[in-house]
Amino acid sequence: MNSVENKYTILCVDDNKNNLFTLSALLENSGNVQTIEALSAKEGFNHLLSDKIDLILLDVQMPEMNGFEFAKLVKSNKKTKDIPIIFVTAVFKSEEFIQEGFEIGAVDYLTKPIDDNQLLNKISLYLKIFEQNNKLKLNEKKFTDIAQSIGDGIYSVDMHGKTTFVNRQALKMLGFKIDDLMGKVIHEYIHYKDVNNNIIPKFQCNIYKVLESEKSYKTEYTYFVKKDGSFLPVSLLATPLYDNNSVAGVVVTFRDKTTDDKVLELENEKIKNQEQIIHSMINMIESRDSYTAGHTKRVAEYCELIAKEMNYSQEDIDILKKAAWLHDIGKISTPDSVLLKPGKLTNVEYELIQDHLTSGYNMLHEIDQYKDIAEIMREHHEKFDGSGYPRGLKKDEILPLSRIMIVADAFDAMTTNRVYKPRKSIGVALEELQDLSAKHFHPEVVSAALVALKNIDIDSEITQLPHSIIEQQRFSYFYKDRLTNLFIIEYLPLLLRYKITTKSLYAYSIKLNNFTQYNKERSWSEGDTFLVEFSKFLDHLYDGAIVFRVEGDDFLLLYETQILTLKENLFTFPLFKDSIVDFTLKEYFIDSVDDIEHVESLLSL
C-alpha cells in the first residue's frame, strides 16, 4: 500500500460483522486507506450517496439484496457508476459466474477465506489503477479544451434534451450566456421556431429525431434562433453519444454560414484539432498499458512501410496510420483484470478482449471524420480464409487498408517478446507470414511486407515484462500463490526465458507426505499454517534459490549448484518434529534452461 500516493476510502459491504472488522483492521493498518463498513446493501448505498468512495469490497451472498443486485444498482446510478467493485465470494467461481460479474461491471473477485497478502496486493493494484485513471480524466479535459478552442459551435444534450455542454463559440454566435442554456431543454431556446416564425414541436425537431433513429443528421443549411429572436444560418452535424453501446444523448457541431470567407481558416483549424484529438486518444491508451501503447506505434510504422511498397497515396497512408494508432482504443472498455493480465487468457477473458473491436468501432464510427478509420480498425483481426473475427470476413471482403494492418499487427506480435512466448527473428517472422499467405493474410500484402520489413531495426528489449510500479504489482499478483506468497509454477517459463542467467540448473522436487491426514486430524486451518511456515522456511533456506508452490503440498526449488545437504537441512524444519508429515525429495539436473519444453516435461510433478 505504501506505493499508493493518495489517501483512499474503501466501502466494505458484508452482512457478517466479523468479516467487516477483519477487513477494516487489515486495510487501515496498511496505510493510505480508510474504510467505511456497511452490514447491508441498503446501508452501503446510503454511504455511496453521502461519502466519497473510491473502491467497493462487496460480499455476493447477502439477504434482501445480494451483491450482484447491489452492483447493478451502483452501476445504474450516475454518481456511483464509475466506482470499481471487487466481489468477495465463497461461491465456486465457474466461468459463467465470473462472466456475470464482469458483465455487471466488477473488476475482479476475492475468494473467502481471504488471504491477507492477496487482499493487500489486489487492493494496492486497483488503487494504483485508480490513480492511472485520474490521468485519463486529464486527457478528457484536453477534449473539453479542444472543444472550447475550436472555431465551430458545439453543444450536447442528454436523452431529455437538456444541455450538458456548450462551448464558448456557440454562446458567442447565439448571444447566450452559459447559465441561459446549461441544464435547460435547448429546443425551447434555439430550435422552437423556423425562419418563418412557425412553431416547431419538439418531436419534429431533427435534433430529437437523432435520439430516436440513433443515426447522425447532417445539413448544409438550416437556422438557429439567437437570444435576441433573430436567426442564424448554420450548417450542422448532429451525432448520437453512446454509453455502453446505448444512445445517451446528442452532440451538435454547427458552423456560421454567414462567415464563409473564413472557411479555409476554419478548415485548417479543424484539421489541427483532429490531430490533437487523435493524440489525446493515444495518450488515453498509453495511460492504461505501456506495452499496448508501444505496440500501436510500431504497427503504424509497419503499416506505412508496407503501404508505400504497395504504392498507396499519401492520403491513404495517413488514414491507415491514424487507424493503426487507434486500432486498440476499444480496450479502454476492457476490464483491468483482463487487460492487465500478463499471461494466457481463459475463454471468457478472450471473449472480453475480442469485444474491444466492437467497442472501438462504436466509439468512432458515428463521428463523420472518423468513419473510415473506424471501418479499417474494426477488421484488423479478420483473416483471409474467413476464420477471423468479429464478422468472419474473407478474401477481398476485407478492406484493402485493413489487410495491411492485419499483417503489420501480426508481424509486431511475432517480433516482440510476450510473457508466454519469446520473440521471433525478423527472418523467421517473414517466413511465417509467407507460410500463412492466402490462409491468414492477403497474398499481395504479404509480398509487399517481405520487401518492406526485411531490413527494419527492432529493439530486442521490447517485452511485456514490468517497467512501472503498477506493472510490477500486477505481475506479483498474477504469479504469486495466494496462501504462501511463493511463485506459482506458471511463472517457470517466464523465469527461464528472461530471468535465469546460467545455462544449467539443479531442481529439487519436495513432496509433503501424509499431509491430507494431517489436515483431517488437526484442521484445515492448522494445515494452512503448516504450509505457510514451511514455505517461509524453504524461501529463506538458501540465498538465490527460487521456490515454487506447485500444488497443495508440492514444492519446487531451483538452484544454480547442487545442494548436497538439502535433505538434512529440510529435517531441521521445526513442525516436522512430532508430526505425521514427512517429505519425499527428488533431484533433477537441467543441462540447458533454453529447452523450456524439456524442462517443463522433466519437472511435471
Side-chain angles (χ1 to χ4, degrees):
M1 289 290 188
N2 293 331
S3 63
V4 177
E5 300 172 3
N6 301 308
K7 187 78 174 180
Y8 293 97
T9 301
I10 297 177
L11 174 64
C12 302
V13 184
D14 197 308
D15 61 328
N16 187 301
K17 289 184 178 180
N18 292 333
N19 290 345
L20 289 177
F21 176 81
T22 302
L23 285 174
S24 296
L26 177 63
L27 292 173
E28 293 188 346
N29 287 335
S30 64
N32 290 6
V33 167
Q34 62 181 7
T35 60
I36 295 177
E37 300 177 7
L39 279 167
S40 68
K42 180 180 178 181
E43 183 180 346
F45 200 75
N46 289 338
H47 283 296
L48 287 174
L49 297 178
S50 60
D51 300 310
K52 181 183 179 297
I53 304 298
D54 298 310
L55 188 144
I56 302 171
L57 290 179
L58 177 59
D59 185 25
V60 174
Q61 294 179 303
M62 295 186 296
E64 296 182 6
M65 180 184 292
N66 65 35
F68 283 169
E69 293 168 337
F70 177 71
K72 290 178 182 177
L73 185 62
V74 171
K75 294 302 178 181
S76 66
N77 186 281
K78 184 177 180 180
K79 180 179 178 181
T80 62
K81 66 184 181 67
D82 294 324
I83 301 175
I85 296 174
I86 298 178
F87 281 125
V88 181
T89 178
V91 180
F92 174 71
K93 296 196 303 179
S94 65
E95 286 196 353
E96 293 78 9
F97 186 88
I98 294 172
Q99 187 171 15
E100 182 179 2
F102 281 146
E103 289 174 351
I104 293 172
V107 295
D108 216 323
Y109 288 83
L110 289 172
T111 303
K112 296 178 181 177
I114 298 171
D115 174 70
D116 293 355
N117 289 330
Q118 174 77 353
L119 172 63
L120 293 178
N121 283 340
K122 187 168 291 191
I123 295 299
S124 181
L125 172 66
Y126 284 105
L127 290 182
K128 288 298 293 184
I129 292 171
F130 185 88
E131 291 180 348
Q132 292 288 324
N133 288 340
N134 287 335
K135 296 179 181 179
L136 293 182
K137 294 179 181 179
L138 295 177
N139 285 318
E140 293 172 357
K141 183 177 182 301
K142 289 184 180 180
F143 284 108
T144 301
D145 292 341
I146 291 170
Q148 291 290 9
S149 64
I150 200 168
D152 293 339
I154 301 175
Y155 72 85
S156 61
V157 298
D158 61 18
M159 291 295 291
H160 304 289
K162 292 185 178 181
T163 311
T164 55
F165 174 80
V166 186
N167 74 344
R168 286 188 290 267
Q169 187 66 13
L171 295 172
K172 180 179 178 181
M173 285 192 284
L174 296 169
F176 289 96
K177 294 182 179 179
I178 187 69
D179 291 337
D180 295 333
L181 298 179
M182 282 298 294
K184 310 291 179 58
V185 178
I186 202 166
H187 177 84
E188 299 172 3
Y189 292 83
I190 66 174
H191 300 303
Y192 66 92
K193 64 179 181 178
D194 64 19
V195 71
N196 297 315
N197 288 316
N198 296 316
I199 298 299
I200 302 175
K202 189 166 67 172
F203 67 87
Q204 291 183 359
C205 177
N206 288 314
I207 306 304
Y208 276 81
K209 289 180 180 178
V210 173
L211 291 172
E212 297 176 358
S213 67
E214 300 185 6
K215 296 180 180 179
S216 297
Y217 169 73
K218 182 177 182 181
T219 180
E220 289 301 318
Y221 214 91
T222 188
Y223 292 89
F224 284 358
V225 184
K226 298 174 67 173
K227 186 175 183 179
D228 62 8
S230 63
F231 294 91
L232 176 71
V234 299
S235 61
L236 71 83
L237 171 66
T239 306
L241 287 172
Y242 286 85
D243 184 11
N244 293 329
N245 296 330
S246 298
V247 173
V250 176
V251 60
V252 178
T253 304
F254 61 95
R255 179 170 298 173
D256 185 352
K257 295 294 287 187
T258 63
T259 57
D260 285 344
D261 59 325
K262 296 184 178 180
V263 169
L264 182 59
E265 177 184 349
L266 292 174
E267 191 64 28
N268 290 334
E269 187 175 357
K270 179 181 177 181
I271 292 172
K272 178 182 177 181
N273 283 309
Q274 287 177 357
E275 295 299 323
Q276 288 178 306
I277 290 173
I278 287 174
H279 286 292
S280 293
M281 288 184 174
I282 293 172
N283 288 337
M284 292 172 71
I285 296 173
E286 291 180 349
S287 66
R288 290 292 306 282
D289 183 33
S290 61
Y291 179 83
T292 299
H295 166 69
T296 59
K297 292 176 182 177
R298 293 190 300 273
V299 170
E301 177 187 349
Y302 302 152
C303 282
E304 181 176 18
L305 292 172
I306 297 171
K308 285 182 176 179
E309 180 64 28
M310 299 180 72
N311 295 317
Y312 277 86
S313 68
Q314 189 59 49
E315 180 181 2
D316 282 338
I317 291 174
D318 290 341
I319 292 174
L320 177 58
K321 287 174 64 178
K322 290 174 184 176
W325 289 335
L326 293 170
H327 78 278
D328 280 337
I329 189 67
K331 289 183 178 178
I332 290 175
S333 65
T334 304
D336 295 316
S337 57
V338 176
L339 178 68
L340 302 179
K341 185 175 180 179
K344 290 186 177 180
L345 303 177
T346 65
N347 292 336
V348 171
E349 292 167 340
Y350 186 59
E351 289 176 4
L352 289 168
I353 281 287
Q354 286 183 330
D355 192 56
H356 81 276
L357 293 171
T358 302
S359 297
Y361 177 78
N362 288 336
M363 290 172 64
L364 298 177
H365 85 285
E366 289 292 349
I367 304 174
D368 191 54
Q369 58 265 39
Y370 290 119
K371 283 184 180 293
D372 291 341
I373 289 174
E375 295 293 342
I376 295 167
M377 59 163 285
R378 178 165 61 161
E379 297 181 3
H380 76 270
H381 280 293
E382 301 288 359
K383 294 179 180 179
F384 188 82
D385 61 5
S387 62
Y389 63 89
R391 294 186 291 167
L393 302 179
K394 60 184 178 180
K395 298 183 179 179
D396 291 345
E397 293 174 351
I398 304 170
L399 292 171
L401 294 181
S402 298
R403 301 170 201 167
I404 296 175
M405 191 188 297
I406 292 168
V407 171
D409 188 53
F411 179 78
D412 185 66
M414 294 175 191
T415 54
T416 52
N417 285 316
R418 302 297 181 98
V419 169
Y420 52 86
K421 185 172 62 177
R423 64 184 291 269
K424 295 179 172 68
S425 68
I426 293 175
V428 171
L430 293 177
E431 287 179 6
E432 187 167 332
L433 290 180
Q434 194 166 23
D435 290 342
L436 293 172
S437 178
K439 296 176 184 176
H440 291 181
F441 311 119
H442 198 288
E444 292 179 6
V445 180
V446 171
S447 296
L450 295 179
V451 176
L453 304 178
K454 65 180 179 180
N455 294 320
I456 63 170
D457 291 324
I458 298 178
D459 184 359
S460 61
E461 299 302 316
I462 296 172
T463 177
Q464 281 183 306
L465 293 178
H467 298 289
S468 65
I469 293 176
I470 188 172
E471 289 172 343
Q472 292 170 0
Q473 285 181 319
R474 84 186 191 220
F475 263 67
S476 175
Y477 163 65
F478 280 109
Y479 287 125
K480 287 292 186 73
D481 175 59
R482 186 184 67 180
L483 177 66
T484 65
N485 208 37
L486 296 178
F487 288 119
I488 60 176
I489 200 64
E490 285 77 9
Y491 185 62
L492 179 62
L494 180 65
L495 187 79
L496 295 174
R497 287 191 179 104
Y498 303 119
K499 295 293 186 181
I500 300 297
T501 57
T502 59
K503 281 295 182 182
S504 60
L505 278 176
Y506 281 87
Y508 295 90
S509 164
I510 304 164
K511 291 176 177 280
L512 298 180
N513 301 320
N514 304 319
F515 195 74
T516 300
Q517 186 64 29
Y518 183 91
N519 278 331
K520 291 179 180 179
E521 293 180 2
R522 300 288 189 94
S523 79
W524 286 98
S525 177
E526 284 201 31
D528 285 347
T529 299
F530 189 105
L531 291 174
V532 169
E533 293 302 317
F534 186 64
S535 299
K536 291 179 182 177
F537 174 79
L538 284 179
D539 205 28
H540 294 88
L541 199 55
Y542 300 101
D543 289 339
I546 303 172
V547 185
F548 299 82
R549 184 186 181 190
V550 181
E551 294 177 352
D553 50 10
D554 294 344
F555 299 84
L556 178 69
L557 185 148
L558 300 183
Y559 204 62
E560 294 182 0
T561 59
Q562 188 176 23
I563 308 174
L564 299 177
T565 59
L566 178 56
K567 187 172 184 178
E568 290 78 5
N569 290 335
L570 289 174
F571 275 121
T572 65
F573 177 57
L575 294 184
F576 281 148
K577 186 177 181 181
D578 300 325
S579 169
I580 64 172
V581 180
D582 59 12
F583 61 88
T584 301
L585 176 66
K586 293 183 180 179
E587 178 184 276
Y588 305 88
F589 176 65
I590 302 170
D591 58 354
S592 175
V593 297
D594 294 330
D595 190 353
I596 295 175
E597 291 185 0
H598 173 69
V599 174
E600 290 179 318
S601 174
L602 181 66
L603 300 180
S604 295
L605 302 182

